[in-house]
Amino acid sequence: EADIYQTPRYLVIGTGKKITLECSQTMGHDKMYWYQQDPGMELHLIHYSYGVNSTEKGDLSSESTVSRIRTEHFPLTLESARPSHTSQYLCASSEEGQVSGYTFGSGTRLTVV
Amino acid sequence: KQEVTQIPAALSVPEGENLVLNCSFTDSAIYNLQWFRQDPGKGLTSLLLIQSSQREQTSGRLNASLDKSSGRSTLYIAASQPGDSATYLCAVGSGYALNFGKGTSLLVTP
């Protein structure tokens, strides 16, 4: 079944640790996105990609980095986690062009202690 | 920058009522608008997608309308059920990605 998967669902980690949030999709979508959502707040775009080897920063400044080596895989990395990184991170994908809708993963809830 | 506003922020209704959720956006140069549902601590489930050339879309008890010139969209939910309780998000496609509102938190009481 075509879908988009995020792992882990929940992560509690200590300050200073390096973490990678995984996102994979089986729909063959060229475009992929990372959004950050704090409780009760709107989603903010932090990274997006139009295809392999393409990555751009979004509207919200983030200390995280992303890579797109394969079409189906779009991981997000924090080199040194801080409590201010505590949030929910949502991955999404869409087809090429502007008319298709977005499909979202279930999200990763990150807590940095 | 596209600004998306959703009204009301929260809504509580008894089961069976019909209700309307509102979304407004500041820049009418959009290519589509998408309504999502989000359950607590979960990801987003797409409900309806309206292209900029369309006026409305329907799926079951849900109907979404789009008035691009006035920068407004509404989501109509007919015969609400307790299972409809969730946060409903409006997202506007413009520029390079979707821009989201803060959502309307809906509670349908039995």
Side-chain angles (χ1 to χ4, degrees):
Chain A
E1 180 183 340
D3 210 339
I4 182 164
Y5 304 95
Q6 288 188 244
T7 57
R9 280 286 288 120
Y10 303 94
L11 179 61
V12 180
I13 200 162
T15 298
K17 299 291 186 182
K18 177 181 179 179
I19 59 170
T20 297
L21 308 184
E22 300 288 349
C23 177
S24 295
Q25 50 98 2
T26 60
M27 296 169 284
H29 288 170
D30 286 317
K31 296 182 177 181
M32 295 189 74
Y33 314 85
W34 277 102
Y35 284 84
Q36 183 175 342
Q37 183 183 32
D38 293 327
M41 301 298 290
E42 64 264 55
L43 280 74
H44 290 286
L45 181 71
I46 51 174
H47 298 283
Y48 63 100
S49 168
Y50 283 167
V52 172
N53 295 326
S54 154
T55 61
E56 301 287 346
K57 290 188 179 296
D59 302 320
L60 181 67
S61 176
S62 174
E63 294 168 345
S64 59
T65 59
V66 293
S67 62
R68 190 88 183 276
I69 299 173
R70 304 196 314 268
T71 298
E72 63 272 20
H73 195 213
F74 191 40
L76 181 145
T77 298
L78 279 164
E79 290 293 332
S80 179
R82 295 207 301 267
S84 61
H85 297 140
T86 294
S87 189
Q88 174 155 257
Y89 294 84
L90 291 156
C91 181
S93 70
S94 67
E95 294 179 18
E96 185 57 51
Q98 292 182 329
V99 296
S100 71
Y102 283 33
T103 301
F104 276 83
S106 298
T108 293
R109 183 167 296 278
L110 172 66
T111 302
V112 184
V113 298
Chain B
K1 182 183 182 297
Q2 180 76 264
E3 300 289 340
V4 181
T5 303
Q6 290 188 246
I7 295 173
L11 182 62
S12 180
V13 300
E15 181 177 6
E17 274 204 7
N18 302 324
L19 55 102
V20 175
L21 308 182
N22 297 290
C23 172
S24 62
F25 46 95
T26 54
D27 185 350
S28 62
I30 69 170
Y31 46 83
N32 59 28
L33 185 146
Q34 197 166 358
W35 282 93
F36 294 90
R37 168 186 173 139
Q38 186 175 32
D39 293 287
K42 301 290 181 60
L44 277 64
T45 300
S46 179
L47 299 174
L48 290 164
L49 171 68
I50 310 176
Q51 303 300 336
S52 62
S53 59
Q54 297 174 323
R55 296 299 300 268
E56 67 176 344
Q57 283 286 338
T58 298
S59 175
R61 295 183 293 109
L62 305 179
N63 175 276
S65 67
L66 173 63
D67 184 342
K68 198 172 66 166
S69 61
S70 67
R72 295 181 188 276
S73 176
T74 62
L75 178 67
Y76 176 82
I77 302 177
S80 58
Q81 303 170 358
D84 294 331
S85 298
T87 296
Y88 290 81
L89 297 171
C90 170
V92 175
S94 61
Y96 44 80
L98 286 183
N99 297 280
F100 282 83
K102 290 185 179 181
T104 293
S105 178
L106 173 65
L107 176 64
V108 181
T109 56

